[in-house]
Amino acid sequence: MAKVAFIGLGVMGYPMAGHLAKAGHQVQVYNRTETKARAWSQEFKGQWCATAAEAAAGCEYVFVCVGNDDDLRQVVLGEQGVAEGMSPDSILVDHTTTSADVARELSRILHSRQIAFVDAPVSGGQAGAVNGVLTVMMGGKEDVIAKVTPLMTAYARCSQRMGDVGSGQLTKMVNQICIAGVVQGLAEGLHFARQAGLDGEAVVEVIRHGAAQSWQMENRYQTMWQGQYDFGFAIDWMRKDLGIALDEARRNGSTLALTALVDQFYGDVQAMGGHRWDTSSLLARLDK
């Protein structure tokens, strides 16, 4: 069992940190909203801390799961950030979905302080975090990843090293690119079914057994058909992720025509007031 810190107790971080505590690790947490940290400490019998540096002090491993590049820089390098509390030879694991550039930047800075870094974005959404069945894609040195992987079994059913630092984030970009296209296809299929006067749920019950099957179909078609979107992975976060992927594509010469189009469609849903709606709400813009 290890002494670990978990920084960021949002919809993903809260249950992930909880799984570490339930696995028997000594967990210290920090969250910018103190009430959330206090609630977590009461539920999981861990220690909440007033600063990220305090949470990281004396820990072998520090896990971070915040919002974006700027949030990550602040919580790691800012005043009372984790870098101030971490000891040489400790390891920082970042579960935030960020750019590959910020992962490499932090890795270089922390390396100068003898602190190892792993970029480890996750897939599986809130349900995956709650149920402890996330997928983790990692970038970093093999020996470092070998040390942190056993801890991740508390909340992940699959974790894989993808290459050097930054590779985890690049893989997460592929993940989001694929999701965008699949959700748009499902939205258009259900829209077509409705316009054609078909029973959408009956249609999916048939086609889900064939080549059209997907995670999105299995987990989202019923709520999409019923027009329920007030849950899940928010469009605001998906657009942040797609923006990162599109920026990277411009640098590496990739052509992401469909991704760019779906990103615009998400903008349409935001204009409808759906900033916090689930990504499956692409159907809402077609049914309006």
Side-chain angles (χ1 to χ4, degrees):
M1 297 297 103
K3 183 178 181 181
V4 306
F6 206 104
I7 313 300
L9 300 175
V11 295
M12 302 294 287
Y14 193 101
M16 291 166 73
H19 286 302
L20 287 169
K22 287 188 288 187
H25 300 293
Q26 182 182 343
V27 184
Q28 301 179 167
V29 300
Y30 167 76
N31 193 68
R32 284 176 293 187
T33 303
E34 185 178 300
T35 54
K36 181 71 70 70
R38 287 179 178 271
W40 185 94
S41 67
Q42 291 177 352
E43 181 175 353
F44 296 104
K45 311 306 179 186
Q47 175 65 47
W48 74 273
C49 299
T51 68
E54 181 184 338
C59 292
E60 303 168 68
Y61 308 94
V62 175
F63 297 86
V64 178
C65 189
V66 290
N68 54 39
D69 286 25
D70 290 339
D71 293 334
L72 180 62
R73 286 191 183 95
Q74 179 60 37
V75 81
V76 174
L77 303 177
E79 184 178 356
Q80 293 298 305
V82 295
E84 293 189 12
M86 295 182 73
S87 305
D89 299 323
S90 57
I91 301 172
L92 191 154
V93 179
D94 175 37
H95 286 310
T96 313
T97 297
T98 68
S99 67
D101 285 345
V102 77
R104 298 181 187 114
E105 172 192 333
L106 293 183
S107 180
R108 288 192 298 269
I109 294 171
L110 293 174
H111 179 73
S112 69
R113 305 184 187 193
Q114 297 179 283
I115 298 169
F117 180 88
V118 177
D119 61 298
V122 300
S123 181
Q126 184 177 359
V130 169
N131 295 318
V133 292
L134 292 169
T135 295
V136 188
M137 44 217 90
M138 295 180 283
K141 293 183 177 179
E142 290 184 19
D143 60 330
V144 175
I145 287 177
K147 292 178 181 178
V148 301
T149 297
L151 280 76
M152 293 182 188
T153 59
Y155 50 77
R157 66 180 171 187
C158 175
S159 57
Q160 178 68 44
R161 179 180 183 267
M162 307 309 300
D164 294 334
V165 168
S167 299
Q169 296 298 346
L170 292 171
T171 304
K172 180 61 182 287
M173 294 174 207
V174 175
N175 186 79
Q176 303 304 75
I177 291 165
C178 293
I179 288 173
V182 170
V183 176
Q184 178 62 20
L186 179 58
E188 291 186 10
L190 292 175
H191 173 67
F192 179 91
R194 198 187 306 278
Q195 294 298 106
L198 295 171
D199 180 337
E201 296 195 19
V203 168
V204 173
E205 282 301 319
V206 173
I207 68 173
R208 66 188 294 206
H209 299 289
Q213 189 274 343
S214 68
W215 186 97
Q216 299 294 333
M217 181 178 288
E218 292 293 326
N219 291 275
R220 293 291 183 265
Y221 86 90
Q222 288 182 321
T223 49
M224 290 172 74
W225 190 251
Q226 295 161 8
Q228 299 174 2
Y229 305 115
D230 192 19
F231 67 96
F233 189 65
I235 284 179
D236 283 353
W237 292 118
M238 185 59 160
R239 290 208 76 193
K240 182 265 291 185
D241 292 357
L242 294 181
I244 291 171
L246 291 167
D247 286 344
E248 185 68 32
R250 282 186 280 271
R251 285 192 289 268
N252 68 24
S254 302
T255 300
L256 301 183
L258 178 59
T259 304
L261 184 61
V262 175
D263 181 57
Q264 293 178 34
F265 291 161
Y266 277 128
D268 294 341
V269 180
Q270 286 177 321
M272 295 168 58
H275 291 267
R276 305 301 299 175
W277 290 354
D278 182 68
T279 52
S280 59
S281 58
L282 283 171
L283 179 57
R285 64 177 291 277
L286 299 175
D287 285 345
K288 65 181 180 179

